[in-house]
Coordinates of all heavy atoms in Angstrom, one line a residue:
M1 N -7.3 11.2 -0.3 CA -7.8 9.9 0.1 C -8.8 10.1 1.3 O -8.4 10.7 2.3 CB -6.6 9.0 0.5 CG -7.0 7.7 1.1 SD -5.7 6.5 1.4 CE -4.3 7.4 1.9
Q2 N -9.9 9.5 1.2 CA -11.0 9.6 2.2 C -11.2 8.3 2.8 O -12.3 7.7 2.7 CB -12.3 10.1 1.5 CG -12.2 11.5 1.0 CD -11.9 12.5 2.1 OE1 -12.4 12.4 3.2 NE2 -11.2 13.6 1.8
T3 N -10.2 7.7 3.4 CA -10.3 6.4 4.0 C -10.4 6.5 5.5 O -9.7 7.3 6.2 CB -9.0 5.6 3.7 OG1 -8.8 5.6 2.3 CG2 -9.1 4.2 4.2
S4 N -11.3 5.8 6.1 CA -11.6 5.9 7.6 C -10.4 5.4 8.4 O -9.5 4.7 7.9 CB -12.8 5.0 7.9 OG -12.4 3.6 7.9
L5 N -10.3 5.9 9.6 CA -9.2 5.6 10.5 C -9.2 4.1 10.8 O -8.1 3.5 10.9 CB -9.3 6.4 11.8 CG -9.0 7.9 11.6 CD1 -9.1 8.6 12.9 CD2 -7.6 8.1 11.0
D6 N -10.4 3.5 10.9 CA -10.4 2.0 11.1 C -9.8 1.2 9.9 O -9.1 0.3 10.1 CB -11.9 1.6 11.3 CG -12.5 2.0 12.6 OD1 -11.7 2.3 13.6 OD2 -13.7 2.1 12.8
T7 N -10.1 1.7 8.7 CA -9.6 1.0 7.6 C -8.1 1.2 7.5 O -7.3 0.3 7.2 CB -10.3 1.6 6.3 OG1 -11.7 1.3 6.4 CG2 -9.7 0.9 5.0
Q8 N -7.6 2.4 7.8 CA -6.2 2.7 7.8 C -5.5 1.8 8.8 O -4.4 1.3 8.5 CB -5.9 4.1 8.1 CG -6.3 5.1 6.9 CD -6.0 6.5 7.2 OE1 -5.1 6.8 8.1 NE2 -6.6 7.4 6.5
D9 N -6.1 1.6 10.0 CA -5.5 0.8 11.0 C -5.4 -0.7 10.5 O -4.4 -1.4 10.7 CB -6.3 0.8 12.3 CG -6.1 2.1 13.1 OD1 -5.1 2.8 12.8 OD2 -6.9 2.4 14.0
L10 N -6.5 -1.1 9.9 CA -6.5 -2.5 9.3 C -5.4 -2.7 8.3 O -4.6 -3.6 8.3 CB -7.8 -2.8 8.7 CG -8.0 -4.1 8.0 CD1 -7.8 -5.3 9.0 CD2 -9.3 -4.2 7.3
W11 N -5.3 -1.7 7.4 CA -4.2 -1.8 6.3 C -2.9 -1.7 6.9 O -2.0 -2.5 6.5 CB -4.4 -0.7 5.3 CG -5.6 -0.8 4.4 CD1 -6.5 -1.8 4.3 CD2 -6.1 0.3 3.6 NE1 -7.4 -1.5 3.4 CE2 -7.3 -0.2 2.9 CE3 -5.7 1.6 3.3 CZ2 -8.0 0.5 2.0 CZ3 -6.5 2.3 2.4 CH2 -7.6 1.8 1.8
R12 N -2.7 -0.9 7.9 CA -1.4 -0.8 8.6 C -1.0 -2.1 9.2 O 0.2 -2.5 9.1 CB -1.4 0.3 9.7 CG -0.1 0.8 10.2 CD -0.2 2.0 11.1 NE -0.3 3.2 10.3 CZ -1.5 3.9 10.3 NH1 -2.5 3.6 11.0 NH2 -1.5 5.0 9.6
T13 N -1.9 -2.8 9.8 CA -1.7 -4.1 10.4 C -1.4 -5.2 9.4 O -0.4 -5.9 9.5 CB -2.9 -4.5 11.3 OG1 -3.1 -3.6 12.3 CG2 -2.6 -5.9 11.9
Q14 N -2.2 -5.2 8.3 CA -2.1 -6.2 7.3 C -0.7 -6.1 6.5 O -0.2 -7.0 6.0 CB -3.2 -6.1 6.3 CG -4.5 -6.5 6.9 CD -5.7 -6.3 5.9 OE1 -5.6 -5.4 5.1 NE2 -6.7 -7.1 6.0
H15 N -0.2 -4.9 6.4 CA 0.9 -4.6 5.5 C 2.1 -4.1 6.3 O 3.0 -3.4 5.8 CB 0.5 -3.6 4.4 CG -0.6 -4.0 3.6 ND1 -0.4 -4.9 2.6 CD2 -1.9 -3.8 3.6 CE1 -1.5 -5.2 2.0 NE2 -2.5 -4.5 2.6
R16 N 2.2 -4.5 7.6 CA 3.3 -3.9 8.4 C 4.7 -4.5 8.2 O 5.7 -3.9 8.4 CB 2.9 -4.0 9.9 CG 3.0 -5.4 10.4 CD 2.7 -5.5 11.9 NE 2.5 -6.9 12.3 CZ 1.4 -7.5 12.4 NH1 0.3 -6.9 12.2 NH2 1.4 -8.8 12.8
D17 N 4.7 -5.8 7.7 CA 6.0 -6.5 7.5 C 6.6 -6.2 6.1 O 6.1 -6.7 5.1 CB 5.7 -8.0 7.7 CG 7.0 -8.8 7.7 OD1 8.1 -8.3 7.5 OD2 6.9 -10.0 7.8
C18 N 7.7 -5.5 6.1 CA 8.3 -5.2 4.9 C 8.8 -6.4 4.1 O 8.9 -6.3 2.9 CB 9.5 -4.3 5.1 SG 9.1 -2.6 5.8
A19 N 9.1 -7.5 4.8 CA 9.6 -8.7 4.1 C 8.5 -9.6 3.6 O 8.8 -10.5 2.9 CB 10.6 -9.4 5.1
A20 N 7.3 -9.4 4.1 CA 6.2 -10.2 3.7 C 5.8 -10.0 2.2 O 6.0 -8.9 1.7 CB 5.0 -9.9 4.5
E21 N 5.4 -11.1 1.6 CA 4.9 -11.0 0.2 C 3.7 -10.1 0.2 O 2.8 -10.3 0.9 CB 4.5 -12.4 -0.3 CG 4.6 -12.6 -1.7 CD 5.9 -12.3 -2.4 OE1 7.0 -12.6 -1.8 OE2 5.9 -11.7 -3.4
P22 N 3.7 -9.1 -0.7 CA 2.6 -8.2 -0.7 C 1.3 -8.8 -1.2 O 1.3 -9.8 -1.9 CB 3.1 -7.2 -1.8 CG 4.5 -7.4 -2.0 CD 4.8 -8.8 -1.6
S23 N 0.2 -8.2 -0.7 CA -1.1 -8.7 -1.1 C -1.4 -8.4 -2.6 O -0.9 -7.5 -3.1 CB -2.1 -8.0 -0.2 OG -3.0 -7.2 -0.8
T24 N -2.2 -9.2 -3.1 CA -2.6 -9.0 -4.6 C -3.9 -8.3 -4.8 O -4.3 -8.1 -5.9 CB -2.6 -10.4 -5.3 OG1 -3.5 -11.2 -4.6 CG2 -1.2 -11.1 -5.3
D25 N -4.6 -8.0 -3.7 CA -5.9 -7.4 -3.8 C -5.8 -5.9 -3.6 O -6.7 -5.3 -2.9 CB -6.8 -8.0 -2.8 CG -6.4 -7.8 -1.3 OD1 -5.2 -7.5 -1.1 OD2 -7.3 -7.9 -0.4
L26 N -4.8 -5.2 -4.2 CA -4.7 -3.8 -4.0 C -5.7 -3.0 -4.9 O -6.1 -3.5 -5.9 CB -3.2 -3.4 -4.5 CG -2.1 -3.8 -3.6 CD1 -0.8 -3.3 -4.2 CD2 -2.2 -3.3 -2.2
D27 N -6.0 -1.9 -4.4 CA -6.7 -0.9 -5.2 C -5.9 0.4 -5.0 O -4.9 0.4 -4.3 CB -8.2 -0.7 -4.8 CG -8.3 -0.3 -3.3 OD1 -7.5 0.5 -2.8 OD2 -9.3 -0.7 -2.7
L28 N -6.2 1.5 -5.7 CA -5.4 2.6 -5.7 C -5.3 3.3 -4.4 O -4.2 3.7 -3.9 CB -5.8 3.7 -6.8 CG -4.9 4.8 -7.0 CD1 -3.5 4.4 -7.4 CD2 -5.4 5.8 -8.1
D29 N -6.4 3.4 -3.6 CA -6.3 4.0 -2.3 C -5.4 3.2 -1.4 O -4.6 3.8 -0.6 CB -7.7 4.1 -1.7 CG -8.6 5.2 -2.3 OD1 -8.0 6.1 -2.9 OD2 -9.8 5.1 -2.1
R30 N -5.5 1.9 -1.4 CA -4.7 1.1 -0.5 C -3.2 1.2 -0.9 O -2.3 1.3 -0.1 CB -5.1 -0.4 -0.5 CG -4.4 -1.2 0.5 CD -4.7 -2.7 0.4 NE -6.1 -2.9 0.7 CZ -6.6 -4.0 1.2 NH1 -5.8 -5.0 1.6 NH2 -7.9 -4.2 1.4
A31 N -3.0 1.1 -2.2 CA -1.6 1.2 -2.7 C -0.9 2.5 -2.3 O 0.2 2.6 -1.9 CB -1.6 1.0 -4.2
L32 N -1.7 3.6 -2.5 CA -1.2 4.9 -2.1 C -0.9 5.0 -0.6 O 0.2 5.5 -0.2 CB -2.1 6.0 -2.5 CG -2.3 6.3 -4.0 CD1 -3.5 7.2 -4.2 CD2 -1.0 6.9 -4.5
F33 N -1.7 4.4 0.2 CA -1.5 4.4 1.7 C -0.3 3.6 2.0 O 0.6 4.0 2.8 CB -2.8 3.8 2.4 CG -2.6 3.6 3.8 CD1 -2.8 4.7 4.7 CD2 -2.2 2.4 4.4 CE1 -2.6 4.6 6.0 CE2 -2.0 2.3 5.7 CZ -2.2 3.3 6.6
I34 N -0.2 2.4 1.5 CA 1.0 1.5 1.7 C 2.3 2.2 1.3 O 3.3 2.2 2.0 CB 0.8 0.1 1.0 CG1 -0.3 -0.6 1.6 CG2 2.1 -0.7 1.1 CD1 -0.8 -1.8 0.8
R35 N 2.2 2.8 0.1 CA 3.4 3.5 -0.4 C 3.9 4.6 0.6 O 5.0 4.7 0.9 CB 3.1 4.0 -1.8 CG 4.4 4.6 -2.5 CD 4.0 5.1 -3.8 NE 3.2 6.4 -3.6 CZ 2.9 7.2 -4.6 NH1 3.2 6.9 -5.8 NH2 2.2 8.3 -4.3
S36 N 2.9 5.3 1.1 CA 3.3 6.4 2.0 C 3.8 5.9 3.4 O 4.7 6.5 3.9 CB 2.1 7.4 2.2 OG 1.1 6.8 3.0
V37 N 3.2 4.8 3.9 CA 3.7 4.2 5.1 C 5.1 3.7 5.0 O 5.9 3.8 5.9 CB 2.7 3.2 5.6 CG1 3.2 2.4 6.8 CG2 1.3 3.8 6.0
H38 N 5.4 3.1 3.9 CA 6.6 2.4 3.7 C 7.7 3.2 3.0 O 8.8 2.7 2.7 CB 6.4 1.0 3.0 CG 5.8 0.0 3.9 ND1 6.5 -0.8 4.7 CD2 4.5 -0.3 4.1 CE1 5.7 -1.6 5.3 NE2 4.4 -1.3 5.0
A39 N 7.4 4.4 2.6 CA 8.4 5.2 1.9 C 9.6 5.4 2.8 O 9.6 5.6 4.0 CB 7.8 6.6 1.6
G40 N 10.8 5.3 2.1 CA 12.0 5.4 2.8 C 12.5 4.1 3.5 O 13.6 4.2 4.1
H41 N 11.9 3.0 3.3 CA 12.3 1.8 3.9 C 13.4 1.1 3.1 O 14.0 0.1 3.6 CB 11.1 0.8 4.1 CG 10.2 1.2 5.2 ND1 9.2 0.4 5.6 CD2 10.2 2.3 6.0 CE1 8.6 1.0 6.6 NE2 9.1 2.1 6.9
G42 N 13.7 1.6 1.9 CA 14.7 1.0 1.1 C 14.3 0.0 0.1 O 13.1 -0.4 0.0
P43 N 15.2 -0.4 -0.8 CA 14.9 -1.3 -1.9 C 14.5 -2.7 -1.6 O 14.0 -3.4 -2.4 CB 16.2 -1.3 -2.7 CG 17.2 -1.0 -1.8 CD 16.6 -0.1 -0.7
E44 N 14.6 -3.1 -0.3 CA 14.2 -4.5 0.1 C 12.8 -4.5 0.7 O 12.3 -5.6 1.0 CB 15.2 -5.1 1.0 CG 16.6 -5.3 0.3 CD 17.6 -5.9 1.2 OE1 17.2 -6.5 2.3 OE2 18.8 -5.9 0.9
C45 N 12.1 -3.4 0.7 CA 10.8 -3.4 1.3 C 9.8 -3.8 0.2 O 9.5 -3.1 -0.7 CB 10.4 -1.9 1.8 SG 8.7 -1.8 2.4
R46 N 9.3 -5.0 0.3 CA 8.4 -5.6 -0.6 C 7.1 -4.8 -0.7 O 6.4 -4.7 -1.7 CB 8.2 -7.1 -0.4 CG 9.4 -7.9 -0.6 CD 9.1 -9.4 -0.2 NE 10.1 -10.2 -0.6 CZ 10.1 -10.9 -1.7 NH1 9.1 -10.8 -2.5 NH2 11.1 -11.7 -2.0
Q47 N 6.6 -4.4 0.5 CA 5.3 -3.7 0.5 C 5.4 -2.4 -0.3 O 4.5 -2.1 -1.1 CB 5.0 -3.3 2.0 CG 4.8 -4.6 2.8 CD 3.6 -5.4 2.5 OE1 2.6 -4.9 1.9 NE2 3.6 -6.7 2.7
Y48 N 6.5 -1.6 -0.1 CA 6.7 -0.4 -0.9 C 6.8 -0.7 -2.4 O 6.1 0.0 -3.2 CB 7.9 0.4 -0.4 CG 8.1 1.7 -1.2 CD1 7.4 2.8 -0.9 CD2 8.9 1.7 -2.3 CE1 7.5 4.0 -1.7 CE2 9.1 2.8 -3.1 CZ 8.4 3.9 -2.8 OH 8.5 5.1 -3.5
L49 N 7.6 -1.6 -2.8 CA 7.8 -1.9 -4.2 C 6.5 -2.3 -4.9 O 6.2 -1.9 -6.0 CB 8.8 -3.0 -4.3 CG 10.3 -2.6 -3.9 CD1 11.2 -3.8 -4.0 CD2 10.8 -1.5 -4.8
A50 N 5.7 -3.2 -4.2 CA 4.4 -3.6 -4.8 C 3.4 -2.4 -4.9 O 2.8 -2.3 -5.9 CB 3.8 -4.7 -4.0
A51 N 3.4 -1.6 -3.9 CA 2.5 -0.5 -3.9 C 2.9 0.6 -4.9 O 2.0 1.1 -5.7 CB 2.4 0.2 -2.5
A52 N 4.2 0.8 -5.0 CA 4.7 1.8 -6.0 C 4.4 1.3 -7.4 O 4.0 2.1 -8.3 CB 6.2 2.0 -5.8
A53 N 4.6 0.0 -7.7 CA 4.4 -0.5 -9.0 C 2.9 -0.5 -9.3 O 2.5 -0.1 -10.5 CB 4.8 -2.0 -9.1
Y54 N 2.0 -0.8 -8.4 CA 0.6 -0.7 -8.6 C 0.2 0.8 -9.0 O -0.5 1.0 -9.9 CB -0.2 -1.1 -7.4 CG -1.7 -1.2 -7.7 CD1 -2.3 -2.4 -8.1 CD2 -2.5 -0.1 -7.5 CE1 -3.6 -2.4 -8.4 CE2 -3.8 -0.1 -7.8 CZ -4.4 -1.3 -8.2 OH -5.7 -1.3 -8.5
C55 N 0.7 1.7 -8.2 CA 0.4 3.1 -8.5 C 0.9 3.6 -9.9 O 0.1 4.3 -10.6 CB 1.1 4.0 -7.4 SG 0.3 3.9 -5.8
L56 N 2.0 3.1 -10.3 CA 2.5 3.5 -11.6 C 1.7 2.9 -12.7 O 1.4 3.6 -13.7 CB 4.0 3.0 -11.8 CG 5.1 3.8 -11.1 CD1 6.4 3.1 -11.3 CD2 5.1 5.2 -11.6
E57 N 1.1 1.7 -12.5 CA 0.3 1.1 -13.5 C -1.1 1.7 -13.5 O -1.8 1.7 -14.6 CB 0.1 -0.4 -13.2 CG 1.4 -1.2 -13.4 CD 1.3 -2.6 -13.0 OE1 0.1 -3.1 -12.9 OE2 2.3 -3.3 -12.9
H58 N -1.6 2.2 -12.4 CA -3.0 2.6 -12.3 C -3.3 4.1 -12.1 O -4.4 4.5 -12.0 CB -3.7 1.8 -11.2 CG -3.8 0.4 -11.5 ND1 -2.8 -0.5 -11.2 CD2 -4.7 -0.3 -12.2 CE1 -3.1 -1.7 -11.6 NE2 -4.3 -1.6 -12.2
L59 N -2.2 4.9 -11.9 CA -2.5 6.3 -11.6 C -3.2 7.1 -12.8 O -3.9 8.0 -12.5 CB -1.1 7.0 -11.3 CG -1.2 8.1 -10.2 CD1 -1.7 7.4 -8.9 CD2 0.1 8.7 -10.0
D60 N -2.9 6.6 -14.0 CA -3.6 7.3 -15.1 C -5.1 7.0 -15.2 O -5.8 7.6 -15.9 CB -2.9 6.9 -16.4 CG -1.5 7.5 -16.6 OD1 -1.2 8.5 -15.9 OD2 -0.7 6.9 -17.3
D61 N -5.5 5.9 -14.5 CA -6.9 5.5 -14.5 C -7.8 6.6 -13.8 O -9.0 6.6 -14.0 CB -7.1 4.2 -13.8 CG -6.4 3.1 -14.6 OD1 -6.0 3.3 -15.7 OD2 -6.2 2.0 -14.0
H62 N -7.2 7.4 -13.0 CA -8.0 8.4 -12.2 C -7.8 9.8 -12.6 O -7.0 10.3 -13.1 CB -7.7 8.3 -10.7 CG -8.2 7.0 -10.1 ND1 -9.5 6.9 -9.7 CD2 -7.7 5.8 -10.0 CE1 -9.7 5.7 -9.2 NE2 -8.6 5.0 -9.4

């Protein structure tokens, strides 16, 4: 992933709340980032679940 630190900071801020409804404007880079940040948070982490589902659906595209 070649994402700038500014973009990573923005994503980290936008997706920091595990209980918040996940954003619907994901792309693969953002989903991979969110998944890595929220990995290990458990089955109630909505951010991780949405990112992981997106990755599963789109990983074959690349």
Side-chain angles (χ1 to χ4, degrees):
M1 174 172 34
Q2 296 294 326
T3 306
S4 74
L5 292 177
D6 289 339
T7 300
Q8 289 181 22
D9 286 343
L10 176 64
W11 291 349
R12 194 173 282 111
T13 300
Q14 291 172 333
H15 300 281
R16 72 177 173 264
D17 185 359
C18 293
E21 204 56 42
S23 116
T24 58
D25 62 341
L26 291 178
D27 58 34
L28 189 56
D29 285 340
R30 186 185 300 212
L32 289 168
F33 176 81
I34 294 167
R35 190 181 68 172
S36 70
V37 169
H38 287 273
H41 286 187
E44 294 183 15
C45 179
R46 293 176 169 266
Q47 298 293 332
Y48 178 83
L49 293 175
Y54 185 93
C55 290
L56 283 175
E57 290 177 17
H58 294 90
L59 217 59
D60 289 337
D61 296 346
H62 290 272

